[in-house]
């Protein structure tokens, strides 16, 4: 049985960059700056505030903000396709 990929650890790097450590050993540096700065959705734009951006949590292997107020598909994080996920992000 193949285990699903999860995020085991997240480190804040700088500005809107996070280092993600996946359960299969992959490490990915993801920059959310373009995604956040180009969003016209106020639910996303509020994360331009770095203190709010840095309030991310790792919940059951998912990276999320404010009780899943903002989260991304794990496949997009794994492949570092955040800019391409603009239309697919989840905003509660």
């Amino acid at each position: 049985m193949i285990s699903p990929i999860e995020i085991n650890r997240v480190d804040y790097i700088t500005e809107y960059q996070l280092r993600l450590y996946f359960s299969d050993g992959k490490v990915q540096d993801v920059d959310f700056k373009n995604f956040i700065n180009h969003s016209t959705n106020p639910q996303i734009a509020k994360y331009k505030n770095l203190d709010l951006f840095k309030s991310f949590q790792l919940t059951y292997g998912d990276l999320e903000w404010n009780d899943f107020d903002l989260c991304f598909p794990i496949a997009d994080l794994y492949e570092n396709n955040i800019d391409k996920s603009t239309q697919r992000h989840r905003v509660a």
Side-chain angles (χ1 to χ4, degrees):
M1 180 175 199
I2 298 173
S3 298
I5 301 292
E6 297 180 337
I7 302 169
N8 291 336
R9 186 173 120 202
V10 181
D11 292 338
Y12 176 76
I13 300 172
T14 185
E15 287 194 321
Y16 301 96
Q17 296 177 12
L18 301 177
R19 180 165 291 144
L20 309 179
Y21 298 83
F22 293 91
S23 57
D24 68 348
K26 183 172 183 171
V27 178
Q28 186 73 272
D29 290 349
V30 180
D31 190 343
F32 295 85
K33 187 175 185 174
N34 284 336
F35 178 83
I36 292 170
N37 283 335
H38 290 100
S39 178
T40 57
N41 183 324
Q43 286 294 101
I44 296 170
K46 69 184 179 184
Y47 290 98
K48 289 178 185 177
N49 176 320
L50 275 176
D51 288 332
L52 193 56
F53 176 78
K54 290 193 256 183
S55 70
F56 63 86
Q57 294 182 348
L58 189 57
T59 306
Y60 303 112
D62 284 321
L63 175 65
E64 56 96 2
W65 286 261
N66 195 23
D67 196 25
F68 290 93
D69 180 42
L70 176 64
C71 65
F72 296 87
I74 198 151
D76 288 340
L77 296 170
Y78 190 85
E79 296 298 329
N80 201 357
N81 287 329
I82 296 307
D83 287 335
K84 295 177 185 171
S85 71
T86 303
Q87 299 302 318
R88 297 177 294 175
H89 65 279
R90 178 174 177 240
V91 177

